Amino acid sequence: MKVGFIGVGNMGGPMCRNIIRNTNHEVIVFDLSADAVKACTDLGASAAPSVADLASRCDVVITSLPIPRVVEEVTLGAGGIAENAKAGSVFIDLSTNSPATAKRVAAGMQAKGIAMLEAPVSGGTARATDGTIVIMVGGDDKVVEQNLPLLKSFSGEVVHVGEIGYGSTAKLINNMLAFCNAAAAAEALMIGKRSGIDLKKLDAVIRNASGMSSGYAGMSTKALAGNFQPTFALDLAHKDLRLALEMADELGVPGMIAPQVMNLMRMARGMGLGSSDSASVIRVYEKALGEEVRA
Ligand code: NAD
């Protein structure tokens, strides 16, 4: 079958390349970045000149795009997927969106006879690359079942969480937790720095003790090395946390911790770090206290 992939950046790129490597599907890609396209065509994909051309030729169209506005443009906008994909085709969105956006896009697709799965992912670029990423899927049982082999070709775990909207719900809750853990890790590492303890030894303790989490691991790896090259941009993390806080507000759940992390992100973005890695929130502490957490 023909699989189209739109948005082959930090996450979409490695996931698309795993589909190319692990299946016999013909893969067609589109991205605004020529370099991102080339990394996929070098492995055997072909490049489409536009979203419209790609959508009109594919049985399944997959997207991994930065923010809800771009997802809506590419799906429901002029020249987009809904306007051009074949009736009976399937659309799978791997981007992180709000449940409301997912439902709106699914309704637009349904009106054109296109089935949709919202399938946000977690695990970062490392697990997108080694094919062990977890996918949380919202959509109809039958559509999920039909597309399970494709989803499994680039992931380690597929969880069908419910109907459209619940994939995004699971993803936003997960990311809120991960960002809170990462922000706590930044604070912990700064306390460690000021105490004079050997940071490498502190890190070795935490990685084997009860303070460990993937939020801690990501933060300490990047902060201790001073490497803030984006594998997950702060701007995208801020978008995810904003959507999670909106969801908490709609559901009437008080925020004690996540809003503090949001403020930390706002300060880091105010320092011009939005396009740096999301671990850059530690640089707010570093700037305020005039010393860096490196080891
Ligand atoms: P990215 O910016 O690296 O990749 C997005 C790609 O989309 C880029 O290559 C960009 O050129 C392309 N693009 C933007 N607008 C486009 C358009 N109109 N048409 C075609 N292509 C377009 O971002 P990413 O880190 O790969 O994130 C993608 C999605 O995955 C986001 O929703 C993000 O929240 C989510 N996500 C990211 C991570 C991570 O660790 N980076 C983890 C899980 C989920």
Side-chain angles (χ1 to χ4, degrees):
M1 95 181 155
K2 283 188 187 168
V3 176
F5 208 119
I6 301 169
V8 283
N10 283 333
M11 292 299 286
M15 293 191 282
C16 177
R17 291 190 282 281
N18 279 331
I19 296 175
I20 298 167
R21 284 190 198 100
N22 301 336
T23 73
N24 291 321
H25 302 315
E26 182 182 340
V27 178
I28 305 173
V29 298
F30 178 77
D31 194 292
L32 301 179
S33 154
D35 287 349
V37 169
K38 186 171 183 304
C40 297
T41 53
D42 281 353
L43 261 192
S46 60
S50 64
V51 168
D53 174 82
L54 179 150
S56 67
R57 292 196 281 136
C58 290
D59 306 295
V60 176
V61 178
I62 301 176
T63 49
S64 176
L65 293 164
I67 53 174
R69 181 181 54 73
V70 174
V71 172
E72 293 214 41
E73 267 168 32
V74 169
T75 53
L76 305 181
I81 296 167
E83 207 176 87
N84 292 284
K86 298 179 275 195
S89 63
V90 173
F91 168 59
I92 303 176
D93 185 22
L94 307 175
S95 325
T96 306
N97 281 314
S98 66
T101 303
K103 286 177 189 167
R104 201 158 44 242
V105 173
M109 293 292 165
Q110 197 179 21
K112 297 292 178 89
I114 303 158
M116 172 169 163
L117 296 178
E118 48 146 10
V121 303
S122 183
T125 50
R127 288 176 59 192
T129 303
D130 69 19
T132 61
I133 205 126
V134 57
I135 311 183
M136 44 217 102
V137 188
D140 284 350
D141 290 348
K142 221 171 138 193
V143 186
V144 174
E145 191 133 327
Q146 274 165 0
N147 290 280
L148 213 45
L150 176 60
L151 294 173
K152 284 188 172 165
S153 73
F154 62 95
S155 68
E157 181 83 32
V158 178
V159 183
H160 182 196
V161 278
E163 54 198 45
I164 290 273
Y166 285 120
S168 305
T169 301
K171 172 65 181 167
L172 296 181
I173 293 170
N174 174 77
N175 278 26
M176 186 206 82
L177 191 55
F179 300 144
C180 290
N181 287 338
E187 202 164 297
L189 288 169
M190 185 47 92
I191 297 170
K193 170 74 186 178
R194 291 218 130 185
S195 77
I197 192 172
D198 180 328
L199 285 176
K200 281 211 160 117
K201 292 194 172 149
L202 175 65
D203 188 56
V205 169
I206 294 173
R207 283 176 187 267
N208 291 289
S210 53
M212 179 58 171
S213 64
S214 71
Y216 172 82
M219 175 60 70
S220 84
T221 300
K222 297 199 168 185
L224 296 191
N227 178 4
F228 299 102
Q229 284 297 314
T231 60
F232 185 28
L234 176 60
D235 281 343
L236 292 183
H238 171 266
K239 174 256 309 189
D240 291 358
L241 189 57
R242 182 174 53 73
L243 295 176
L245 290 176
E246 278 171 19
M247 188 164 76
D249 192 41
E250 279 160 19
L251 297 171
V253 177
M256 303 296 173
I257 298 166
Q260 306 290 353
V261 177
M262 183 51 136
N263 281 330
L264 202 53
M265 287 186 178
R266 286 184 186 132
M267 285 189 265
R269 291 177 90 219
M271 287 163 57
L273 301 174
S275 58
S276 299
D277 194 79
S278 55
S280 296
V281 291
I282 198 169
R283 291 159 82 183
V284 174
Y285 288 93
E286 292 178 344
K287 175 105 179 153
L289 299 175
E291 53 186 327
E292 294 183 336
V293 176
R294 305 282 177 269

